[in-house]
């Protein structure tokens, strides 16, 4: 239903473990190819419980508010990883910011690769062998990969820091110095 193929497509995904260490990832494809310099990560700051819809709302609000403030170009298509709930949450942000008519948006549900449009209860299915499905699933998979990597790194740093904080007499500055010198907790233990 787009008037022209979108030159820029962005996709948002949420990663968390029962609401803890929640992050959002945003990947950008330009002319159907990953544009890694335009990838963004967001630490979820305002949602403390397991609520993917609220987390999606926060990440999209922050991103598009910044684009508007900096008068930067808008994407040709916004893809939200998830079904109707995530799509509804993201669409409400576009409405709040007055962008609902300027940015086409779809939700991509993973199980059957269903595409959802705002206000349409029925999913749309792309041709299983067509190039559009390959591009959109590559976009979604890249958002997953990027988000999960960020989440794992955040989780590892939290674990390392909390383990080192257990050692009596070691403060934040010492922890930073130790990690800079030894890189891992195992090496610190051996030393």
């Amino acid at each position: 239903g787009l008037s022209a193929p979108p030159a820029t497509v962005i996709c948002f995904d949420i990663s968390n473990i029962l609401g803890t260490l929640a992050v959002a990832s945003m990947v950008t494809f330009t002319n159907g190819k990953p544009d890694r310099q335009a990838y963004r990560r967001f630490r979820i700051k305002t949602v403390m419980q397991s609520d993917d819809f609220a987390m999606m709302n926060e990440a999209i609000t922050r991103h598009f508010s910044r684009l508007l403030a900096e008068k930067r170009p808008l994407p040709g298509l916004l893809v939200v990883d998830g079904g109707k709930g995530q799509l509804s949450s993201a669409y409400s942000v576009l409405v709040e910011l007055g962008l609902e008519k300027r940015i086409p948006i779809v939700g991509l549900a993973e199980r059957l690769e269903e595409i959802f449009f705002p206000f349409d209860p029925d999913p749309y299915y792309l041709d299983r062998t067509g190039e559009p499905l390959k591009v959109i699933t590559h976009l979604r998979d890249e958002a997953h990969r990027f988000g999960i990597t960020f989440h794992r790194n955040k989780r590892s740093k939290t674990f390392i820091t909390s383990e080192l904080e257990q050692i009596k007499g070691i403060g934040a500055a010492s922890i930073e110095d130790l990690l800079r010198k030894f890189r891992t907790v195992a090496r610190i233990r051996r030393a």
Side-chain angles (χ1 to χ4, degrees):
L2 298 173
S3 58
T8 304
V9 181
I10 64 173
C11 181
F12 277 85
D13 184 31
I14 301 294
S15 291
N16 67 88
I17 298 176
L18 299 173
T20 61
L21 302 172
V23 298
S25 61
M26 183 200 85
V27 298
T28 303
F29 276 29
T30 303
N31 296 321
K33 303 249 188 278
D35 181 0
R36 288 183 175 82
Q37 292 183 342
Y39 286 15
R40 297 291 176 266
R41 300 182 287 214
F42 303 85
R43 285 183 176 87
I44 301 300
K45 298 175 182 177
T46 62
V47 182
M48 300 306 154
Q49 69 280 6
S50 184
D51 184 348
D52 283 8
F53 305 145
M55 292 175 193
M56 184 69 72
N57 188 297
E58 178 186 328
I60 290 177
T61 297
R62 287 169 50 195
H63 178 69
F64 284 104
S65 294
R66 185 173 185 170
L67 284 185
L68 289 172
E70 295 175 358
K71 295 181 171 65
R72 292 179 40 210
L74 299 172
L77 177 64
L78 168 59
V79 178
V80 178
D81 181 43
K84 295 176 189 175
Q86 284 90 342
L87 175 63
S88 176
S89 181
Y91 185 77
S92 70
V93 172
L94 296 184
V95 170
E96 284 174 33
L97 298 174
L99 297 173
E100 74 276 12
K101 292 193 177 13
R102 295 173 59 192
I103 302 173
I105 181 172
V106 297
L108 178 62
E110 190 168 355
R111 195 170 60 98
L112 298 173
E113 310 298 3
E114 299 169 315
I115 295 177
F116 289 96
F117 296 94
F119 308 112
D120 188 350
D122 299 321
Y124 178 77
Y125 299 94
L126 290 170
D127 177 13
R128 302 294 284 166
T129 59
E131 199 63 28
L133 182 63
K134 289 178 187 171
V135 171
I136 206 161
T137 54
H138 183 196
L139 180 76
R140 190 262 329 276
D141 293 346
E142 187 70 356
H144 273 313
R145 181 199 63 74
F146 189 61
I148 288 169
T149 300
F150 180 46
H151 185 256
R152 282 184 185 143
N153 289 341
K154 189 175 177 194
R155 197 172 62 218
S156 293
K157 285 179 184 173
T158 300
F159 172 73
I160 288 170
T161 302
S162 63
E163 188 174 335
L164 292 175
E165 286 172 351
Q166 304 287 325
I167 302 170
K168 192 173 182 171
I170 293 185
S174 297
I175 290 171
E176 194 172 317
D177 289 343
L178 286 167
L179 286 174
R180 193 174 289 123
K181 183 173 181 175
F182 294 102
R183 295 276 191 227
T184 68
V185 173
R187 288 180 182 164
I188 292 170
R189 258 192 226 112
R190 282 194 298 269

